[in-house]
């Protein structure tokens, strides 16, 4: 062993007896969707792959294969554990996750691909059940799964199955949506209560320590987006689904992309009592819990009422409410007016909170 | 234990003492790319997902998001073991694999997505090396990686990293290529020698038992396809890259899709001496070994010379040769005239030969 490798060095070095060697290895926090995921992307993937579509940092890339058609393209791997949970399974999640990423660009999702990494020994009936869920979700969303792939790895080299879906959608010409389009004066709308998915998956893992009846909100949001666009396409500036990292992380990304400040009103943010109770017992903040069937919309103030009314007329937007507003500053920050009247900073998720939530 | 579960039943049942319970579980052979993979697709995935684009069974799906643009869409997960091998690594493979699937529809690949499943503890420098390989391959192919995703799973739930790439390309209007377009009288062209990738990966695993200098042929083939299309787009009926399952499996798929017989001339099929030697020692047939930088073209006989000359002018088509011809029957079968003058059936790969080759 060389001096360099020695865990305890001389006093001058003042080494920690348990040095945290995280910087040179992947740790669970890199998959959190928060600060560490962003660091991984900007340090490892962005330098070699850099291009305008990727740099935009939206849920899907916007590309122009010819002069007349703007496409939205997106991909997501799904490694949720367990594979089945109240309200969904990895198959439903894989379809809805990518449908929603496409829809968040204001695009109509049309085609999906699905690629499966299967662990040797996986029960074939379980796989059929997952495929049936994918079919049901694709049917509801109105998308076709047009291409696929299947790989098998040895026992112990995966965890049942992983599914990667990619999607392609067409962006209507009137639409101009991006995380960079929020403007001071805009209103922030949330489509429904926070945290259902994260708490439902935790419950399915048996990690809550108590029984809850919370059900995942996993759902395809493209019809909700359609209804919103039909009403007031030009006045919708940002759409984003607050998945991994939760609403807090999503809003921080938008504040950063748009160079604006976002102000939330705590008492207006809907959280179901059961989710609230679970979070209190576990020390979680619902603002950081993953959702799989909710969206945030940042819209021109004058159109709040007609957009809300369009949302309320759809299955997944019934409980939509205004939760805040866009301000010129502090640029790149999210603030929250708490129920006791103070204002606090809502930061991005730092490391790992709930691994393998999607 | 009930009677039903007993491994040895009465004489009347005549049960095998080691019953093969494969039908209800995923086994390694389901990832081979051969007969078992096809069974998995047609039994588990095709019934729920069935649609014309998927049913076509080509390397990429052809879709029409509007009246003027035909897109080719494809996806592949990559689980190759080891991650680095002579001539490439999982990153280069992930880019070239999807670029080639798109190119095999005669499409110009434009955009890729890349989704990473990382195992906790993965060395960050290794990941940077893989990303650099992807960049180099994307640059050579002329494609942009426009969207991505990263998930992390616990140690022991993956094998270093898995990469799923998806791709989108535009099909020029003069192109009409599909596995179903082979016609009696057509010639079968192979772009170069068989088996390099499979043997190189086996060597990297240390499973050969001897030293070889075989290098994987992993390469983006879109520029080769471009050169062929520029010469004689309308006379190219089928393009396909013989990856998992090898040339034999690929040709069986085409024979089946086109309802024709394919006749190969054994002595014209190029195989490097080192690959040939490795196959002989291991009891493998080069016809079933995976390639990652070769293509099969089925073309109108009258255009053989100009297509070959276009291929010979490119880096990855220098050694292109005619290896057979299309006949009206036996429909759906591949036959080979052997070097000793007999004719044998070349069947599809039955089960597992080389797991995790791509």
């Amino acid at each position: 062993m060389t001096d360099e490798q020695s865990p305890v060095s001389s006093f001058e070095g003042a080494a920690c007896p348990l040095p945290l060697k995280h910087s040179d290895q992947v740790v669970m926090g890199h998959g959190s969707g928060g600060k560490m995921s962003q660091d991984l992307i900007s340090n490892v993937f962005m330098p070699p792959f850099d291009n305008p579509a990727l740099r935009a940092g939206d849920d899907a890339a916007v590309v122009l294969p010819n002069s007349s058609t703007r496409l939205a393209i997106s991909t997501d791997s799904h490694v949720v554990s367990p594979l089945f949970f109240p309200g969904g399974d990895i198959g439903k999640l894989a379809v809805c996750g990518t449908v929603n990423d496409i829809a968040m660009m204001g695009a109509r999702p049309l085609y999906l691909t699905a690629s499966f990494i299967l662990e040797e020994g996986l029960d074939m009936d379980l796989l059929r059940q997952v495929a049936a869920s994918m079919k049901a979700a694709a049917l509801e969303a109105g998308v076709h799964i047009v291409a696929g792939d299947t790989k098998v790895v040895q026992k112990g080299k995966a965890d049942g199955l992983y599914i990667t879906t990619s999607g392609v959608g067409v962006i209507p010409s009137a639409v101009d949506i991006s995380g960079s389009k929020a403007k001071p004066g805009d209103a922030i709308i949330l489509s429904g209560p926070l945290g259902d998915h994260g708490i439902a998956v935790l419950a399915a893992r048996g990690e809550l320590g108590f029984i809850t009846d919370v059900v995942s909100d996993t759902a395809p949001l493209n019809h909700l987006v359609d209804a919103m666009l039909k009403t007031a396409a030009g006045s919708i500036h940002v759409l984003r689904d607050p998945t991994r990292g939760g609403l807090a992380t999503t809003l921080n990304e938008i504040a950063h992309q748009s160079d604006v400040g976002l102000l939330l009103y705590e008492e207006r943010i809907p959280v179901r009592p059961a989710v609230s109770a679970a979070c209190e017992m576990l020390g979680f903040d619902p603002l950081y819990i993953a959702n799989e069937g909710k969206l945030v919309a940042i819209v021109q103030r004058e159109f709040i009422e007609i957009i809300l009314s369009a949302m309320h007329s759809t299955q997944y937007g019934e409980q939509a409410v205004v939760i805040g507003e866009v301000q010129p500053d502090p640029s790149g920050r999210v603030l929250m007016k708490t129920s006791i009247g103070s204002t606090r900073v809502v930061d991005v998720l730092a490391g790992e909170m709930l691994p393998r939530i999607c």
Side-chain angles (χ1 to χ4, degrees), chain A:
Chain A
M1 192 183 262
T2 68
D3 275 358
E4 229 173 13
Q5 288 172 312
S6 166
V8 183
S9 70
S10 68
F11 178 76
E12 203 177 18
C16 169
L18 280 168
L20 295 166
K21 290 193 64 182
H22 278 179
S23 60
D24 58 352
Q25 280 193 352
V26 171
V27 298
M28 293 306 291
H30 286 121
S32 65
K35 177 82 174 62
M36 290 185 71
S37 297
Q38 288 170 11
D39 287 350
L40 180 70
I41 292 167
S42 50
N43 291 333
V44 176
F45 295 121
M46 203 51 97
F49 299 163
D50 187 41
N51 62 64
L54 195 61
R55 213 180 308 136
D58 283 318
D59 280 355
V62 177
V63 296
L64 192 72
N66 61 29
S67 54
S68 66
T69 312
R70 281 186 304 165
L71 297 180
I73 301 180
S74 185
T75 191
D76 260 335
S77 286
H78 297 85
V79 299
V80 67
S81 169
L83 298 171
F84 292 81
F85 45 83
D89 59 48
I90 190 171
K92 184 177 183 184
L93 198 60
V95 169
C96 294
T98 290
V99 161
N100 292 348
D101 280 347
I102 299 291
M104 293 309 127
M105 302 311 294
R108 274 183 305 118
L110 297 173
Y111 312 111
L112 294 194
T113 67
S115 198
F116 297 82
I117 296 174
L118 309 177
E119 185 186 10
E120 184 184 18
L122 181 73
D123 183 68
M124 206 60 99
D125 281 333
L126 183 152
L127 188 57
R128 282 195 191 91
Q129 249 182 288
V130 168
S133 286
M134 295 179 76
K135 176 195 179 164
L139 206 64
E140 182 182 354
V143 297
H144 295 290
I145 298 170
V146 293
D149 183 42
T150 309
K151 293 291 188 321
V152 181
V153 296
Q154 295 89 344
K155 220 174 169 67
K157 301 291 183 189
D159 195 7
L161 78 154
Y162 301 142
I163 307 178
T164 302
T165 46
S166 301
V168 175
V170 172
I171 305 177
S173 56
V175 169
D176 185 23
I177 288 171
S178 161
S180 64
K181 305 272 180 187
K183 286 175 190 58
D186 285 353
I188 306 170
I189 295 174
L190 176 64
S191 66
L194 290 182
D196 297 0
H197 177 71
I199 296 300
V201 173
L202 273 192
R205 282 184 201 161
E207 284 181 8
L208 285 186
F210 52 88
I211 307 289
T212 180
D213 57 357
V214 177
V215 168
S216 167
D217 59 347
T218 307
L221 298 175
N222 54 322
H223 301 310
L224 167 59
V225 171
D226 255 5
M228 296 168 71
L229 291 177
K230 265 186 199 132
T231 310
S235 65
I236 299 169
H237 298 159
V238 182
L239 290 175
R240 192 68 62 93
D241 56 339
T243 54
R244 268 190 305 177
L247 180 71
T249 304
T250 296
L251 291 180
N252 269 281
E253 287 169 13
I254 297 169
H256 185 76
Q257 282 179 269
S258 292
D259 279 327
V260 294
L262 301 181
L263 179 68
L264 302 180
Y265 318 124
E266 185 174 31
E267 80 277 11
R268 296 213 203 157
I269 298 174
V271 180
R272 291 183 208 285
V275 170
S276 199
C279 283
E280 257 175 54
M281 292 185 69
L282 297 164
F284 288 153
D285 183 339
L287 290 177
Y288 294 90
I289 306 263
N291 312 277
E292 291 291 342
K294 297 298 177 315
L295 65 79
V296 179
I298 298 189
V299 308
Q300 214 173 313
R301 175 159 292 281
E302 298 74 25
F303 293 83
I304 289 177
E305 288 313 317
I306 64 160
I307 291 171
L308 275 180
S309 125
M311 294 178 79
H312 292 158
S313 73
T314 69
Q315 184 182 358
Y316 302 122
E318 277 179 348
Q319 302 181 66
V321 283
V322 172
I323 58 162
E325 62 190 86
V326 182
Q327 301 186 327
D329 40 50
S331 174
R333 304 290 274 178
V334 180
L335 300 180
M336 185 160 73
K337 216 162 214 124
T338 66
S339 40
I340 56 164
S342 65
T343 301
R344 74 169 175 94
V345 172
V346 176
D347 212 344
V348 70
L349 180 66
E352 165 199 353
M353 192 161 78
L354 301 173
R356 297 185 55 192
I357 207 74
C358 62

